Amino acid sequence: STPKGATSFDVHATSAVTVHIIHSPMTKPMINSRWPLDPDIEVVVTVDVTSRTVNDNKVKISYYGREGNELSVAWLYLTCVDISLDVDLNRNGRVKSKGKDKAKWTWGPDGQGAVLLVNCDRDSPGCQLQHEGTKKSSLGCLLLVTPPSPLSTSPVSTFFRTVDLQDMSVMLLRTQGPSAIFAEYQVVLHVPESDADKVRVFHAIRSDSQPQYKPVLGPDKFSYVLDHVGSGENTFYVEGLAFPDLGFSGLVSFSASLLEVPHENSLGTPIFTDTVVFRVAPWIMTPNTQQPIEVFVCSIQWGSDSNEVFLEGLRALLKKANCKLTICSELETRSDRWIQDELEFGYVEAPHKTFPVVFDSPRNRGLKDFAFKKILGPDFGYVTREPPGKAISSLDSFGNLDVSPPVTVRGKEYPLGRILIGSPLPWSSGRRMSKVVRDFLYAQKVQAPVEIYSEWLNVGHVDEFLTFVPAFDRKGFRLLLASPNACYKLFKEKQSQGHGEATQFVGLKGTERRSINEILVDESLKADNKHVQRCIDWNRNVLKQELGLNEQDIIDIPQLFVLKGSRADALFPDMVNMLVLGRHLGIPKPFGPVVGGQCCLEERGRALME
């Protein structure tokens, strides 16, 4: 629009428009406030007030010749519309507009970015869920449960109930401006193709009878054009379909774009895009030092191997601890008593909602379907990982999975603790927890896993040689480690006091009794336990380093082992493998030598704990 012979210009605008002249320090305005027509000068105009009518903001550019005479005038007509895609950016449960850096997500209490929950619970108890396929219940609820990837992660329902909204995160699209503009332009909500199978978005559409919730984004649906856009808010509800995992960091972005569409069949040109980012909340494992809510135990009554005496002791303990006891029938568990090996409890948390999620191991014995059928329910989620080809080992059982209480390691805080996984030594082959399970645990990030050496055990589970108990001092807990050295020291002490003939295993059926004297002279047993102690000492050093522990944070629990081939079993019931219920501990009875009317192992264990 610059006329021939023009050498300077000036700019004037209506009140809502701000004019910025961008120039080099060498370029100055002329005496009459006009600017020279230099190529390095840029004029930028901004509008901060939403237009009421189309073209209600004007910018006038006047061009002048050498004599200062006005040669020509150009007019720029502006319509300002406000488009904002908003989420709970500050993680305080409220969706605010005008947030800064909405496409950025940072960790920590001072971080920013919205959180998304995987909708992995079953809010409709009458509806039957399956891992795959469909099933219609007597209530007529039709649910399609499909894993988002070949490795099943969680039951995800396409059947929508308003109770599901409580699990979802809110996303608001706010638009303001003249309605005539939105008649000529499109507003599109979209998600990257790489993120689409991890989420589902519902649009809340107001109607006379009741709100409708239309699925608009998700697997195979990457964009959604809004109808009848005007000044106001559109509410969307977002749910996660997959937990963080290998190849998926947990970050998901959504964008709203204003498109200029010259004619009906054209794709449209983006004029403006606003982007927000969610992080899918990780699965968080709970340490046993937290106050317990409920204990699950299996009842075994059929056959000669009944656990009724164990259950009686447990009922008494749970009453003292004031904790709910759920006894699972033998029919439900299909005679599989090892519930600790089958499942692990954790939770997911967002500012608007927290609920427990059970992680089902790929061990898949009698308890295979128990968590899915009996624990999954309203506000109780479910997740699992299955290795391809079903190649699992004993190390896939969740007795081989633990988590520390909160720790600080070399100045780095782990406020949710660190996950412990039993493995072979770093340089050796051997049994190992399935890669899909380890990948899942590492991908959650917030409880950075530590792999420790458990393959020296026959069963290979970390819970056979370590646990954590709460304490009132120091770091708020103690690490308990099984210790052959502590056991030999105790037995030698009792022998020196004249109790060498006191006998181990009195009252334990099917086990040959052995006196303290016999145990202490058994060179083969001594060699076995020397090896075991070296294995535990290796872990002691790793745990001190990776959990930031000192010797004062560790208690050695007397325990002997015996090698069967190259791997070890506990010689007597393993006292470290205890049930921790706050201040109440359910310690396996060791059937140790009775000295002065009391089992010396029990006496030492109590003294160390108390």
Side-chain angles (χ1 to χ4, degrees):
S1 62
T2 308
K4 193 174 181 180
T7 58
S8 62
F9 72 96
D10 63 17
V11 183
H12 297 278
T14 48
S15 59
V17 181
T18 304
V19 177
H20 309 267
I21 308 290
I22 299 172
H23 59 93
S24 73
M26 305 300 293
T27 308
K28 305 287 184 189
M30 298 159 73
I31 297 168
N32 51 10
S33 298
R34 295 172 188 169
W35 290 85
L37 269 170
D38 283 357
D40 67 336
I41 290 181
E42 234 182 296
V43 179
V44 175
V45 292
T46 59
V47 188
D48 293 326
V49 180
T50 307
S51 295
R52 293 187 176 181
T53 59
V54 174
N55 295 339
D56 62 353
N57 298 290
K58 300 177 183 68
V59 180
K60 178 188 175 185
I61 302 104
S62 300
Y63 295 99
Y64 302 93
R66 290 186 189 279
E67 309 298 323
N69 54 317
E70 187 178 83
L71 299 179
S72 179
V73 171
W75 290 91
L76 174 66
Y77 295 90
L78 298 171
T79 307
C80 180
V81 296
D82 188 1
I83 296 176
S84 183
L85 189 61
D86 296 305
V87 293
D88 179 9
L89 191 68
N90 297 322
R91 303 201 275 265
N92 58 9
R94 296 189 299 275
V95 177
K96 283 187 177 179
S97 60
K98 306 287 188 281
K100 290 182 180 178
D101 298 324
K102 290 188 284 187
K104 182 180 169 188
W105 203 101
T106 52
W107 292 100
D110 299 319
Q112 71 161 38
V115 179
L116 199 58
L117 294 177
V118 175
N119 190 3
C120 60
D121 64 337
R122 175 166 51 190
D123 285 316
S124 308
C127 299
Q128 302 297 313
L129 283 91
Q130 295 184 159
H131 289 281
E132 293 176 297
T134 60
K135 186 170 183 177
K136 200 168 186 179
S137 78
S138 57
L139 295 181
C141 304
L142 182 66
L143 292 106
L144 174 65
V145 185
T146 53
S149 71
L151 307 173
S152 62
T153 57
S154 55
V156 179
S157 165
T158 58
F159 180 86
F160 187 85
R161 288 194 177 212
T162 51
V163 71
D164 282 308
L165 294 178
Q166 296 167 12
D167 299 346
M168 298 187 194
S169 297
V170 175
M171 182 166 65
L172 297 180
L173 176 60
R174 295 179 167 108
T175 50
Q176 271 189 300
S179 54
I181 281 287
F182 292 114
E184 295 179 20
Y185 293 78
Q186 279 184 350
V187 177
V188 180
L189 188 69
H190 48 102
V191 61
E193 184 178 351
S194 59
D195 295 348
D197 62 340
K198 315 293 193 306
V199 289
R200 190 177 284 119
V201 179
F202 296 89
H203 186 191
I205 300 171
R206 299 179 186 88
S207 66
D208 296 334
S209 55
Q210 60 182 22
Q212 307 265 320
Y213 299 97
K214 178 184 177 183
V216 293
L217 295 178
D220 303 320
K221 192 160 179 58
F222 312 142
S223 64
Y224 171 58
V225 179
L226 280 84
D227 297 325
H228 314 299
V229 177
S231 291
E233 282 185 357
N234 279 272
T235 302
F236 297 89
Y237 291 92
V238 189
E239 66 176 351
L241 302 183
F243 281 97
D245 210 330
L246 185 68
F248 174 45
S249 69
L251 291 175
V252 179
S253 65
F254 296 96
S255 300
S257 293
L258 182 68
L259 302 185
E260 184 177 18
V261 185
H263 52 82
E264 195 175 329
N265 295 322
S266 68
L267 292 172
T269 309
I271 294 172
F272 170 77
T273 297
D274 201 17
T275 299
V276 296
V277 173
F278 286 91
R279 183 178 287 279
V280 176
W283 179 79
I284 300 171
M285 189 173 162
T286 44
N288 62 12
T289 48
Q290 287 184 219
Q291 277 302 310
I293 296 169
E294 184 175 3
V295 172
F296 290 80
V297 65
C298 302
S299 171
I300 303 294
Q301 295 180 333
W302 302 338
S304 59
D305 204 11
S306 166
N307 67 348
E308 190 52 44
V309 177
F310 166 67
L311 292 180
E312 279 305 311
L314 200 57
R315 285 188 189 98
L317 175 68
L318 270 287
K319 197 172 179 182
K320 276 186 193 175
N322 193 27
C323 183
K324 181 182 176 185
L325 177 63
T326 297
I327 298 177
C328 315
S329 74
E330 195 159 2
L331 196 63
E332 291 172 321
T333 64
R334 298 191 294 176
S335 300
D336 182 359
R337 71 182 72 206
W338 307 110
I339 194 165
Q340 170 62 44
D341 287 338
E342 183 62 38
L343 51 92
E344 192 67 62
F345 289 114
Y347 66 98
V348 291
E349 181 177 15
H352 62 280
K353 186 74 179 277
T354 300
F355 59 84
V357 176
V358 60
F359 187 13
D360 193 0
S361 85
R363 157 184 185 271
N364 293 347
R365 293 203 212 159
L367 284 158
K368 176 184 175 183
D369 299 319
F370 179 79
F372 190 79
K373 289 181 177 178
K374 298 295 180 180
I375 297 179
L376 171 65
D379 288 341
F380 211 126
Y382 173 94
V383 63
T384 191
R385 283 294 180 277
E386 297 282 344
K390 304 291 181 186
I392 61 164
S393 74
S394 174
L395 272 67
D396 284 302
S397 297
F398 284 171
N400 193 35
L401 179 63
D402 208 336
V403 66
S404 78
V407 291
T408 300
V409 186
R410 297 181 289 280
K412 181 174 173 59
E413 292 183 7
Y414 295 90
L416 300 167
R418 298 191 71 176
I419 281 174
L420 305 178
I421 300 169
S423 296
L425 288 166
W427 57 82
S428 65
S429 59
R431 299 168 301 169
R432 193 182 288 274
M433 184 179 280
S434 294
K435 185 176 183 298
V436 290
V437 179
R438 284 183 290 121
D439 287 344
F440 173 81
L441 294 170
Y442 275 97
Q444 308 314 304
K445 286 190 178 177
V446 291
Q447 295 176 301
V450 179
E451 295 198 36
I452 57 178
Y453 179 34
S454 70
E455 225 257 331
W456 57 272
L457 284 154
N458 202 11
V459 176
H461 296 176
V462 295
D463 67 1
E464 293 184 78
F465 67 91
L466 69 81
T467 194
F468 298 90
V469 293
F472 295 112
D473 60 351
R474 294 186 62 79
K475 297 180 174 69
F477 68 89
R478 294 287 190 278
L479 166 66
L480 307 187
L481 287 177
S483 173
N485 283 355
C487 194
Y488 274 110
K489 184 180 176 184
L490 173 65
F491 284 180
K492 284 174 184 173
E493 183 186 303
K494 296 305 174 188
Q495 185 186 51
S496 68
Q497 293 168 358
H499 303 293
E501 294 304 319
T503 308
Q504 179 90 30
F505 303 128
V506 174
L508 192 60
K509 289 179 186 174
T511 308
E512 183 187 348
R513 297 181 185 183
R514 301 182 73 181
S515 69
I516 288 177
N517 289 338
E518 288 171 331
I519 290 170
L520 290 178
V521 297
D522 187 332
E523 292 301 325
S524 173
L525 186 65
K526 224 179 264 184
D528 289 356
N529 281 281
K530 193 174 180 182
H531 166 73
V532 166
Q533 188 66 59
R534 280 199 296 265
C535 296
I536 293 172
D537 286 345
W538 166 276
N539 289 307
R540 186 189 206 93
N541 292 329
V542 170
L543 292 165
K544 283 166 73 173
Q545 188 175 345
E546 297 297 337
L547 301 182
L549 304 182
N550 301 315
E551 278 301 318
Q552 292 84 351
D553 300 314
I554 302 172
I555 297 175
D556 291 305
I557 302 297
Q559 185 66 47
L560 293 182
F561 294 83
V562 60
L563 290 185
K564 294 184 177 174
S566 61
R567 297 187 180 122
D569 283 325
L571 180 67
F572 52 81
D574 193 336
M575 291 199 292
V576 168
N577 202 348
M578 62 179 70
L579 180 63
V580 181
L581 303 171
R583 293 178 61 243
H584 300 273
L585 306 178
I587 304 175
K589 185 175 176 61
F591 295 92
V594 176
V595 174
Q598 191 172 7
C599 167
C600 65
L601 287 169
E602 286 184 31
E603 183 183 35
R604 182 58 54 90
R606 283 175 184 274
L608 290 167
M609 292 298 95
E610 288 167 2

